[in-house]
Amino acid sequence: MNVLIMGAPGAGKGTQAAMIAGEFGIPHISTGDALRLAVDQGTAMGQLAKGYMERGELVPDDVMNGIVRERLGQDDCRGGFLLDGFPRTVPQAEALDGILAESGRKIDRVVYLDVDRELLLERVTGRRVCRSCGATYHVRFHPPAKPGVCDKCGGELYQRKDDSAETVRTRLEEYDKKTAPLLAYYRERGVLCRIDGAKPIAEVSEDIRRCLRGPAE
Ligand code: AP5
Ligand code: MG
Ligand code: ZN
């Protein structure tokens, strides 16, 4: 099964992707995580992406399309994959269709997590991420047993640089302008499932399971 998970910053893509990838046995491909790793490692791509990410702007399409083409060509994606945070523009969606068509593949389902603005801001500004394993927490909605320490691996929790209220505003504007039009793109293709992402984490997971096992909207 080839799946996309979509939604505004803070909608819960990463949180739910971990569940889907585990249960359905497919790799979780987060372009945001891939870029953050490249920035930390100081690769050429990381140096290029850093400024865009810190400002909350999208990284150029040709860079992103290259990353995804390379990743989807790897063996572990043959039995399906879950893309988180890509595509984010209509040209990226068209490029993705082209990449998949080359190997006779297509997108089977698009999970869209719908969450209103106020809640998104609260989620993003309260998020904490494990430096070692990448697990995601929230100071109010999903706190670790011990503040600042990962429940899963004992790693240190940190706040993403782009999670300041100021940068989140730019990220949300980018989403409205460039990414939201993709919902119509996938709805027309009959693969979109809109899910109420404001519910508690476990309930959202249950709704996603239902969408992936049954027909789209
Ligand atoms: P990326 O890392 O993808 O960031 P994003 O899209 O802004 O999304 P987030 O990761 O912030 O949110 P999420 O939906 O994963 O939410 P999460 O599960 O963590 O991209 C970062 C940057 O990289 C971009 O700005 C851009 O510069 C660049 N980039 C990446 N891909 C690109 C592309 N394709 N093209 C161009 N540029 C690209 O949850 C958020 C918080 O809420 C957590 O604290 C969590 O614990 C909590 N939470 C989650 N679900 C619930 C719930 N149901 N109830 C209560 N709390 C919840
Ligand atoms: Mg994420
Ligand atoms: Zn951890």
Side-chain angles (χ1 to χ4, degrees):
M1 177 146 49
N2 303 326
V3 184
L4 306 182
I5 187 158
M6 281 188 59
K13 301 183 293 295
T15 300
Q16 298 297 336
M19 176 283 291
I20 302 170
E23 285 188 18
F24 290 80
I26 51 179
H28 170 203
I29 304 169
S30 159
T31 47
D33 288 348
L35 290 170
R36 278 184 287 280
L37 184 69
V39 169
D40 286 348
Q41 294 178 336
T43 66
M45 187 182 74
Q47 284 170 23
L48 190 151
K50 191 167 189 262
Y52 291 100
M53 294 177 80
E54 284 178 359
R55 290 189 298 272
E57 295 166 8
L58 294 186
V59 174
D61 288 338
D62 52 341
V63 176
M64 300 313 302
N65 296 345
I67 296 176
V68 170
R69 167 182 289 281
E70 206 266 331
R71 184 64 187 86
L72 292 181
Q74 291 173 13
D75 278 353
D76 64 339
C77 293
R78 277 200 207 153
F81 55 80
L82 170 62
L83 266 173
D84 159 6
F86 184 95
R88 263 170 144 100
T89 64
V90 172
Q92 287 182 16
E94 290 168 350
L96 177 62
D97 283 344
I99 292 167
L100 294 175
E102 284 166 19
S103 47
R105 294 182 287 179
K106 61 174 177 44
I107 294 300
D108 300 307
R109 275 286 181 283
V110 178
V111 173
Y112 163 49
L113 300 177
D114 193 3
V115 178
D116 73 38
R117 242 344 86 104
E118 220 169 295
L119 189 53
L120 289 172
L121 261 176
E122 203 179 351
R123 284 199 186 164
V124 174
T125 51
R127 169 169 44 201
R128 298 292 182 273
V129 184
C130 174
R131 221 178 261 292
S132 311
C133 75
T136 299
Y137 298 87
H138 190 281
V139 290
R140 266 190 57 210
F141 304 136
H142 180 36
K146 195 169 154 210
V149 181
C150 178
D151 289 346
K152 296 199 174 99
C153 77
E156 178 206 355
L157 303 185
Y158 78 103
Q159 188 164 20
R160 264 167 54 178
K161 240 195 188 141
D162 61 345
D163 278 352
S164 64
E166 169 84 8
T167 310
V168 175
R169 246 185 299 278
T170 309
R171 288 163 59 197
L172 289 170
E173 281 168 22
E174 288 277 86
Y175 175 83
D176 288 342
K177 222 172 11 183
K178 298 172 184 166
T179 310
L182 286 181
L183 298 174
Y185 182 94
Y186 288 114
R187 192 173 288 119
E188 278 167 23
R189 284 162 179 71
V191 292
L192 191 79
C193 286
R194 192 202 75 91
I195 287 182
D196 178 2
K199 293 185 191 173
I201 294 174
E203 286 180 37
V204 176
S205 296
E206 193 45 46
D207 291 346
I208 294 175
R209 278 187 199 101
R210 209 170 296 132
C211 147
L212 294 182
R213 299 210 162 102
E217 268 173 4

